[in-house]
């Protein structure tokens, strides 16, 4: 697992009792240190967000559902 996975996991478990959390892509880019990487949103989601979600679901007891708002 990589650092992005752990950072996303930390952001999500803070709201575990609430049941959902909304995060903006710009906020995630900043938190993950990807401000200059993956300029296309589709690439950022495919290579960063989706990979981290897959790792979280494989290694932690946390169900993650991604929905664009």
């Amino acid at each position: 697992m990589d650092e992005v996975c752990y950072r996303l996991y930390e952001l999500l478990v803070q709201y575990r009792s609430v049941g959902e959390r909304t995060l903006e892509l710009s906020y995630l880019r900043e938190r993950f240190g990807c401000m200059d990487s993956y300029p296309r949103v589709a690439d950022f989601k495919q290579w960063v967000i989706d990979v981290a979600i897959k790792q979280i679901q494989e290694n932690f007891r946390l169900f993650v559902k991604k929905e664009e708002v």
Side-chain angles (χ1 to χ4, degrees), residues 4 7 28-39 44 48:
V4 170
R7 287 184 183 180
L28 292 175
R29 283 181 186 271
E30 183 180 318
R31 294 288 298 195
F32 300 158
C34 297
M35 294 301 292
D36 298 324
S37 304
Y38 307 102
F44 179 70
V48 179

Side-chain angles (χ1 to χ4, degrees), residues 16-49:
R16 181 181 261 170
S17 63
V18 175
E20 70 178 58
R21 180 161 191 191
T22 302
L23 300 167
E24 294 186 22
L25 284 179
S26 58
Y27 174 76
L28 292 175
R29 283 181 186 271
E30 183 180 318
R31 294 288 298 195
F32 300 158
C34 297
M35 294 301 292
D36 298 324
S37 304
Y38 307 102
R40 292 184 44 211
V41 171
D43 291 339
F44 179 70
K45 289 190 284 187
Q46 178 183 4
W47 298 108
V48 179
I49 302 298

Side-chain angles (χ1 to χ4, degrees), residues 5 10 15 18 20 35 39 45 48 55 59 65-66:
C5 174
E10 289 172 350
Y15 283 73
V18 175
E20 70 178 58
M35 294 301 292
K45 289 190 284 187
V48 179
Q55 290 176 350
N59 296 290
K65 177 182 168 187
K66 178 181 78 170

Side-chain angles (χ1 to χ4, degrees), residues 5-17 19-20 52-65:
C5 174
Y6 285 114
R7 287 184 183 180
L8 181 58
Y9 177 76
E10 289 172 350
L11 292 172
L12 296 174
V13 295
Q14 292 172 353
Y15 283 73
R16 181 181 261 170
S17 63
E20 70 178 58
I53 289 173
K54 182 179 177 186
Q55 290 176 350
I56 288 170
Q57 291 180 333
E58 289 174 350
N59 296 290
F60 298 101
R61 298 179 110 178
L62 184 67
F63 173 74
V64 180
K65 177 182 168 187

